[in-house]
Amino acid sequence: MGPIPSQRDIVQRPGIVVAGQGGDPRPAARTSLPGIPQASAAARRFVRTALTEWTGLGLPSTGEFGERLTDDALTVASELVTNAVVHAGTTVELLLRLEDSSGPEPAALVLEITDHHPARSVRDERADRPDPAEYGRGLRLVATLAESWGITYRTGLKTVWARLLGDDRYGLPDTPAADDAPRGHRLGDGGIRTPAAGHAVRDDAGWAGRGGLSFLAEASGLLAGQLDEDTVAATAGRLLVPRLADWCAIWLESEGGGPAAAPRLAGVWHSDETRTELLRPTLEKEPLRLPGSVGAGPVPIPWPGGAAQRGGRTGAALAHRIVSGGRTLGALLVGREGDDHIPDEVAILLADFVRRVGLAVGAARAYTRQATISRILQRGLLPSKVAEIPGVSSALVYEPGDDGVVGGDFYDLFPCPGGRWCFVLGDVQGSGPEAAVVTGLARPWLRLLSREGFRVGEVLDRLNRLLLDDAMEAAEAAALMVAAAGGQQLQDGEQIQDGTQSRFLSLLYGSLVPLPDGGVRCTVASAGHPLPLLLRPDGSVRPAAEPQVLLGVVEDVAYDSQSFDLAPGDSLLCVTDGVTERRSGRLMFDDGDGLARVLAGCAGLTAAGIADRIKQAVHTFAERPPDDDLALLVLQVDAERHTAVRGDSAGE
């Protein structure tokens, strides 16, 4: 029922905890990150924020941790979190703690990255892999930067930890002379130093040191934060030029276009922008497609005609396949003018960079596919329009969450035989395909049961039974599949661990019957759902139903309904928990009957006005946009209809 964490909400504020003897503060910060591509960038922001706060507080030992340690900590956090997300795919816990130097041990910063899939061991960089293009420097990088590191296994958990020493413990002088080359390659200055004469000179040897590691860590976060493949390509081009190359071009294969479809040129970037358009026509005429037989390494390419310098000077060009999940997604071509070859240090760094581009393009395409499927499913799972009820105005607000998956909220308003109209507001547990399955079952079942003439409580009774029966059939099918795959039957009481979720939902369901005097008879039942609120014209507000258990949870349950009259001018507000549980820090929107207070201030507004006022209050409750589905329905009995009925009666 709750929201899936989004990129905006996956970093908590670092906190200080006290441990050890003597009451000495031992700073520690902890956060939980979802298993999504943006987790590595969030981890770096979290680590940087923690170190900045600790330094500002003047805590012991932080004075020994300078710029070098910060860079290394960000790199290690990025690599270990990326490793956990890619290979485990679970929620990742990050713990950052500071060890004091008061004893014989030197001051150190310890990072612990924990995932929840201990059956998957950390991959050995030396092992043979079917697709090496998907893996970067991984633990080799961590081993280079850390004083020590290791892996700890616990029940249900695997933790990879790394211990980094303070700057004065590295055995390297932290002076500009000794450290200028590696730091010249950090993302901010692009790996280019400019001597007094003003001529740009690349210090290629520095890329083999911390400069390259810092560049890759920062680039990973920038690439992973993009959800569109063209934006990934544009980000990659701007990172490469002019830091590693004078120009570059990226081609992307069309998804589902087949082997005959030519890759499209996603972009061309040149350090001299006036020459970009001279290079583009040449590259468009000859789309670059590298065969799979060339592997993941660089491929020397003849210098394109349009890339020649003024004066006819050429240079060296290298191409890489862009690969993700064993599939070729495109190709990347870089060129350096005036050189007969690209140095090995740069070529190695390029290969690591292209691997990250492949992962980012693959993730962006997966997101795009998921978002497209979600939009199609959402259109099919929700009604194309809601019914118009004589004498009743209705207003609907529906805003699905922004995580690119099918939401769990659904609604309906439809006519039934006997002059009745029925309304539904539901919230399926979870989201994505599982939620779509339940929504796809529940909404048609509700319409069928309603039109068969069952009373409100009976409709929920039967829907509850149908959900339980369907869940049982799904569990039995999963058990058969597991037993067939493993060659054994499950023992009594053994759980099926196949990732499926229980099929239950909260639901608000009701019926409306117009009355001769202009009012409406409303009968409603709430199953684990936020209760509907009745607003009178005088501004008084009260709940209009009693709380009951969720659907699909308990077998032996009989649902009750409550009936009441809606007089002309009365309004009924129905919402999902995306409204009531909207968060701002530790507070929720409905704390202290917050929703009822806002609704009380809506007296005198139309149904549309009430819906808009509630929506605006929900949005402004917190700075960040809502990340859960938001649905609300307002039903208001028209006062004009009541006047017309009284006039007709007087005339008779």
Side-chain angles (χ1 to χ4, degrees), residues 369-386:
R369 286 194 300 270
Q370 179 175 272
T372 301
I373 293 171
S374 293
R375 287 192 295 268
I376 295 172
L377 284 176
Q378 209 80 63
R379 286 197 298 266
L381 295 174
L382 297 176
S384 57
K385 64 177 183 178
V386 295

Side-chain angles (χ1 to χ4, degrees), residues 100-256:
D100 199 358
S101 59
S102 56
E105 293 295 323
L109 185 69
V110 179
L111 294 94
E112 297 182 5
I113 298 358
T114 301
D115 64 63
H116 299 264
H117 203 316
R120 289 186 178 181
S121 60
V122 176
R123 295 181 180 269
D124 184 354
E125 292 292 323
R126 297 168 297 180
D128 293 333
R129 301 190 187 97
D131 184 14
E134 286 194 65
Y135 303 93
R137 302 185 180 192
L139 294 180
R140 278 194 295 123
L141 184 152
V142 175
T144 300
L145 299 180
E147 179 265 342
S148 58
W149 69 277
I151 305 172
T152 302
Y153 291 92
R154 296 186 295 275
T155 303
L157 300 172
K158 178 180 85 265
T159 299
V160 183
W161 58 269
R163 189 171 186 268
L164 308 177
L165 298 182
D167 284 342
D168 59 350
R169 305 288 181 167
Y170 275 96
L172 296 173
D174 196 11
T175 63
D179 199 35
D180 181 60
R183 293 202 181 281
H185 292 283
R186 278 190 285 137
L187 198 57
D189 55 32
I192 297 177
R193 291 181 295 143
T194 305
H199 176 65
V201 177
R202 289 190 180 86
D203 188 3
D204 291 331
W207 287 118
R210 283 190 171 82
L213 302 182
S214 178
F215 170 80
L216 288 174
E218 296 290 338
S220 295
L222 291 173
L223 292 170
Q226 312 304 326
L227 299 177
D228 174 79
E229 63 180 65
D230 287 322
T231 307
V232 171
T235 303
R238 295 188 181 100
L239 287 170
L240 289 177
V241 178
R243 293 176 178 88
L244 293 172
D246 292 306
W247 59 266
C248 78
I250 295 178
W251 288 262
L252 294 175
E253 300 280 351
S254 58
E255 191 169 16

Side-chain angles (χ1 to χ4, degrees), residues 411-427:
Y411 60 87
D412 207 352
L413 180 59
F414 54 92
C416 289
R420 295 181 299 121
W421 280 263
C422 294
F423 61 93
V424 176
L425 207 58
D427 186 359

Side-chain angles (χ1 to χ4, degrees), residues 79 178 180 201 244 345 363 387 489 491 505 520 536 542 544 567 643:
E79 289 296 326
D180 181 60
V201 177
L244 293 172
E345 296 87 352
Q489 296 293 327
Q491 300 298 319
L505 73 151
V520 173
R536 301 291 189 186
R542 70 170 181 85
T643 303

Side-chain angles (χ1 to χ4, degrees), residues 16-169:
I16 305 301
V17 298
V18 178
Q21 297 179 352
D24 294 331
R26 301 283 295 277
R30 184 190 304 273
T31 190
S32 179
L33 307 169
I36 59 177
Q38 294 86 351
S40 60
R44 287 195 302 278
R45 291 195 299 271
F46 180 81
V47 171
R48 187 184 296 277
T49 301
L51 295 180
T52 300
E53 288 199 0
W54 292 345
T55 301
L57 292 173
L59 294 169
S61 301
T62 54
E64 300 182 29
F65 296 149
E67 190 176 2
R68 186 199 302 274
L69 180 84
T70 300
D71 287 346
D72 291 352
L74 296 176
T75 301
V76 169
S78 179
E79 289 296 326
L80 291 183
V81 170
T82 299
N83 187 83
V85 170
V86 172
H87 302 310
T90 69
T91 299
V92 179
E93 314 297 331
L94 189 159
L95 173 64
L96 184 72
R97 55 187 174 86
L98 187 61
E99 294 185 349
D100 199 358
S101 59
S102 56
E105 293 295 323
L109 185 69
V110 179
L111 294 94
E112 297 182 5
I113 298 358
T114 301
D115 64 63
H116 299 264
H117 203 316
R120 289 186 178 181
S121 60
V122 176
R123 295 181 180 269
D124 184 354
E125 292 292 323
R126 297 168 297 180
D128 293 333
R129 301 190 187 97
D131 184 14
E134 286 194 65
Y135 303 93
R137 302 185 180 192
L139 294 180
R140 278 194 295 123
L141 184 152
V142 175
T144 300
L145 299 180
E147 179 265 342
S148 58
W149 69 277
I151 305 172
T152 302
Y153 291 92
R154 296 186 295 275
T155 303
L157 300 172
K158 178 180 85 265
T159 299
V160 183
W161 58 269
R163 189 171 186 268
L164 308 177
L165 298 182
D167 284 342
D168 59 350
R169 305 288 181 167

Side-chain angles (χ1 to χ4, degrees), residues 354-440:
V354 174
R355 293 185 187 108
R356 286 157 170 77
V357 173
L359 290 173
V361 172
R365 288 194 168 184
Y367 176 87
T368 300
R369 286 194 300 270
Q370 179 175 272
T372 301
I373 293 171
S374 293
R375 287 192 295 268
I376 295 172
L377 284 176
Q378 209 80 63
R379 286 197 298 266
L381 295 174
L382 297 176
S384 57
K385 64 177 183 178
V386 295
E388 294 184 3
I389 307 173
V392 177
S393 299
S394 63
L396 176 72
V397 173
Y398 177 75
E399 295 180 353
D402 63 349
D403 49 23
V405 299
V406 180
D409 289 8
F410 67 97
Y411 60 87
D412 207 352
L413 180 59
F414 54 92
C416 289
R420 295 181 299 121
W421 280 263
C422 294
F423 61 93
V424 176
L425 207 58
D427 186 359
V428 179
Q429 181 260 348
S431 59
E434 278 290 326
V437 168
V438 180
T439 302

